[in-house]
Amino acid sequence: MTTGTPPPTARRRSRARTFVPLAVAAWAVLEIWLLILVADTAGGLTVLILLAAGIVLGAAVIKRAGRRAFRNLTETLQRMPGQPGADGSTPAAPESSRGNGFLMLGGLLIMIPGLISDVAGLLLLVPPVRKALSGYAERSLDRRMRAAAAPGGFSDAFQQARMHRPDGKVVQGEVIRDEPPRGNPGPNDGPRPPLTP
């Protein structure tokens, strides 16, 4: 017996789900190959010292960035309206807080064993590079947030996706709740027993 609804089709795999694992695998193979080349040229002890120095330097960078972020957070909270000595205006983020996330990412990349990740992490330690990347990230995030808030954007697509049933049918409608007046308690308004497994 046929019902008239088309059979469910298999969803296509997104490009990111296909290419990200391949890119990570290629990156890991390239890192190992470069480490082997350096070990053949300079010796295994040199590679071991480089890896240990990367771990120590990366941990120091992450620790410094974390302290900086915590200090900026406490300064911002102390300048909030209502705090003693605050001027009542909305506090702006300190200029020194820009790029803390990229600084932590740089430390993490330095800690990861490999020469390419070390070079990328060292690039993120350069202040102009961090500033340029944080500006780009802010503009990109702002653009995406505006697109999500616009009619027909991501939020509308999410609301519409919730109305699709598993069998492919779309149910159009509106939910109307009949709530009892506030003065008259309903049967479910009393104290409830605790939830126990």
Side-chain angles (χ1 to χ4, degrees):
M1 182 172 153
T2 60
T3 60
T5 59
T9 58
R11 291 177 47 175
R12 280 189 47 206
R13 191 173 180 160
S14 70
R15 287 185 178 164
R17 290 184 69 188
T18 302
F19 290 118
V20 168
L22 292 175
V24 169
W27 169 69
V29 167
L30 186 61
E31 290 278 22
I32 292 169
W33 178 69
L34 283 174
L35 285 174
I36 291 171
L37 280 180
V38 171
D40 283 344
T41 304
L45 185 61
T46 305
V47 171
L48 187 63
I49 290 171
L50 280 174
L51 294 177
I55 290 172
V56 171
L57 178 65
V61 167
I62 289 175
K63 184 177 180 180
R64 179 175 174 247
R67 283 184 179 170
R68 212 169 104 180
F70 185 74
R71 185 180 65 238
N72 291 336
L73 177 65
T74 55
E75 287 174 4
T76 303
L77 290 176
Q78 288 173 352
R79 287 182 290 172
M80 293 291 287
Q83 295 295 326
D87 59 0
S89 64
T90 305
E95 191 62 31
S96 63
S97 70
R98 291 180 61 105
N100 269 344
F102 286 112
L103 193 63
M104 287 186 184
L105 178 62
L108 181 66
L109 286 173
I110 291 172
M111 286 181 73
I112 294 174
L115 299 177
I116 297 172
S117 62
D118 287 348
V119 169
L122 289 172
L123 278 175
L124 287 176
L125 297 184
V126 178
V129 173
R130 260 196 336 264
K131 188 174 181 180
L133 283 175
S134 65
Y136 172 76
E138 285 178 13
R139 287 190 303 273
S140 176
L141 182 64
D142 187 40
R143 209 172 31 246
R144 288 175 188 250
M145 292 301 286
R146 279 197 207 130
F154 179 71
S155 58
D156 284 351
F158 181 70
Q159 290 295 330
Q160 291 174 0
R162 287 177 40 196
M163 289 185 240
H164 288 271
R165 290 181 44 189
D167 60 357
K169 294 180 182 176
V170 177
V171 178
Q172 299 292 338
E174 184 176 327
V175 176
I176 299 174
R177 255 188 220 159
D178 289 330
E179 294 183 3
R182 293 281 178 186
N184 301 334
N188 294 330
D189 290 344
R192 295 181 182 180
L195 297 174
T196 57

